[in-house]
PDB file of all heavy atoms in Angstrom:
ATOM      1  N   LEU A1218      16.168  13.387   9.804  1.00 98.00           N
ATOM      2  CA  LEU A1218      16.165  14.513   8.867  1.00 98.00           C
ATOM      3  C   LEU A1218      17.606  14.866   8.698  1.00 98.00           C
ATOM      4  O   LEU A1218      18.420  14.879   9.618  1.00 98.00           O
ATOM      5  CB  LEU A1218      15.472  15.772   9.450  1.00 98.00           C
ATOM      6  CG  LEU A1218      13.944  15.700   9.600  1.00 98.00           C
ATOM      7  CD1 LEU A1218      13.529  16.775  10.610  1.00 98.00           C
ATOM      8  CD2 LEU A1218      13.287  15.991   8.258  1.00 98.00           C
ATOM      9  N   ALA A1219      17.985  15.229   7.424  1.00 98.00           N
ATOM     10  CA  ALA A1219      19.332  15.722   7.155  1.00 98.00           C
ATOM     11  C   ALA A1219      19.193  16.886   6.219  1.00 98.00           C
ATOM     12  O   ALA A1219      18.413  16.895   5.323  1.00 98.00           O
ATOM     13  CB  ALA A1219      20.201  14.694   6.554  1.00 98.00           C
ATOM     14  N   VAL A1220      20.053  17.946   6.430  1.00 98.00           N
ATOM     15  CA  VAL A1220      19.973  19.132   5.645  1.00 98.00           C
ATOM     16  C   VAL A1220      21.403  19.598   5.276  1.00 98.00           C
ATOM     17  O   VAL A1220      22.321  19.567   6.046  1.00 98.00           O
ATOM     18  CB  VAL A1220      19.241  20.311   6.366  1.00 98.00           C
ATOM     19  CG1 VAL A1220      19.867  20.618   7.700  1.00 98.00           C
ATOM     20  CG2 VAL A1220      19.138  21.548   5.511  1.00 98.00           C
ATOM     21  N   GLY A1221      21.590  19.976   4.007  1.00 98.00           N
ATOM     22  CA  GLY A1221      22.882  20.399   3.506  1.00 98.00           C
ATOM     23  C   GLY A1221      22.764  21.157   2.185  1.00 98.00           C
ATOM     24  O   GLY A1221      21.666  21.271   1.602  1.00 98.00           O
ATOM     25  N   ASP A1222      23.899  21.602   1.671  1.00 97.00           N
ATOM     26  CA  ASP A1222      23.871  22.428   0.434  1.00 97.00           C
ATOM     27  C   ASP A1222      24.835  21.961  -0.634  1.00 97.00           C
ATOM     28  O   ASP A1222      24.655  22.291  -1.804  1.00 97.00           O
ATOM     29  CB  ASP A1222      24.173  23.866   0.769  1.00 97.00           C
ATOM     30  CG  ASP A1222      25.617  24.102   1.107  1.00 97.00           C
ATOM     31  OD1 ASP A1222      26.045  23.589   2.177  1.00 97.00           O
ATOM     32  OD2 ASP A1222      26.323  24.715   0.315  1.00 97.00           O
ATOM     33  N   GLY A1223      25.832  21.161  -0.277  1.00 95.00           N
ATOM     34  CA  GLY A1223      26.865  20.818  -1.238  1.00 95.00           C
ATOM     35  C   GLY A1223      26.884  19.342  -1.636  1.00 95.00           C
ATOM     36  O   GLY A1223      26.193  18.535  -1.017  1.00 95.00           O
ATOM     37  N   ALA A1224      27.637  19.032  -2.671  1.00 95.00           N
ATOM     38  CA  ALA A1224      27.693  17.659  -3.206  1.00 95.00           C
ATOM     39  C   ALA A1224      28.177  16.687  -2.114  1.00 95.00           C
ATOM     40  O   ALA A1224      27.798  15.551  -2.100  1.00 95.00           O
ATOM     41  CB  ALA A1224      28.596  17.598  -4.408  1.00 95.00           C
ATOM     42  N   ASN A1225      29.027  17.173  -1.191  1.00 96.00           N
ATOM     43  CA  ASN A1225      29.555  16.284  -0.114  1.00 96.00           C
ATOM     44  C   ASN A1225      28.487  16.008   0.932  1.00 96.00           C
ATOM     45  O   ASN A1225      28.730  15.219   1.838  1.00 96.00           O
ATOM     46  CB  ASN A1225      30.806  16.936   0.504  1.00 96.00           C
ATOM     47  CG  ASN A1225      30.475  18.256   1.210  1.00 96.00           C
ATOM     48  OD1 ASN A1225      29.776  19.094   0.691  1.00 96.00           O
ATOM     49  ND2 ASN A1225      31.091  18.480   2.394  1.00 96.00           N
ATOM     50  N   ASP A1226      27.307  16.606   0.784  1.00 97.00           N
ATOM     51  CA  ASP A1226      26.203  16.291   1.716  1.00 97.00           C
ATOM     52  C   ASP A1226      25.247  15.251   1.122  1.00 97.00           C
ATOM     53  O   ASP A1226      24.406  14.715   1.849  1.00 97.00           O
ATOM     54  CB  ASP A1226      25.378  17.557   1.973  1.00 97.00           C
ATOM     55  CG  ASP A1226      26.134  18.611   2.741  1.00 97.00           C
ATOM     56  OD1 ASP A1226      26.908  18.264   3.717  1.00 97.00           O
ATOM     57  OD2 ASP A1226      26.069  19.810   2.351  1.00 97.00           O
ATOM     58  N   LEU A1227      25.403  14.930  -0.126  1.00 97.00           N
ATOM     59  CA  LEU A1227      24.467  14.039  -0.772  1.00 97.00           C
ATOM     60  C   LEU A1227      24.331  12.669  -0.148  1.00 97.00           C
ATOM     61  O   LEU A1227      23.221  12.137   0.092  1.00 97.00           O
ATOM     62  CB  LEU A1227      24.707  13.921  -2.265  1.00 97.00           C
ATOM     63  CG  LEU A1227      24.160  15.022  -3.151  1.00 97.00           C
ATOM     64  CD1 LEU A1227      24.697  14.956  -4.543  1.00 97.00           C
ATOM     65  CD2 LEU A1227      22.626  14.995  -3.126  1.00 97.00           C
TER      66      LEU A1227
END
Side-chain angles (χ1 to χ4, degrees):
L1218 291 159
V1220 56
D1222 71 292
N1225 63 319
D1226 296 316
L1227 278 170

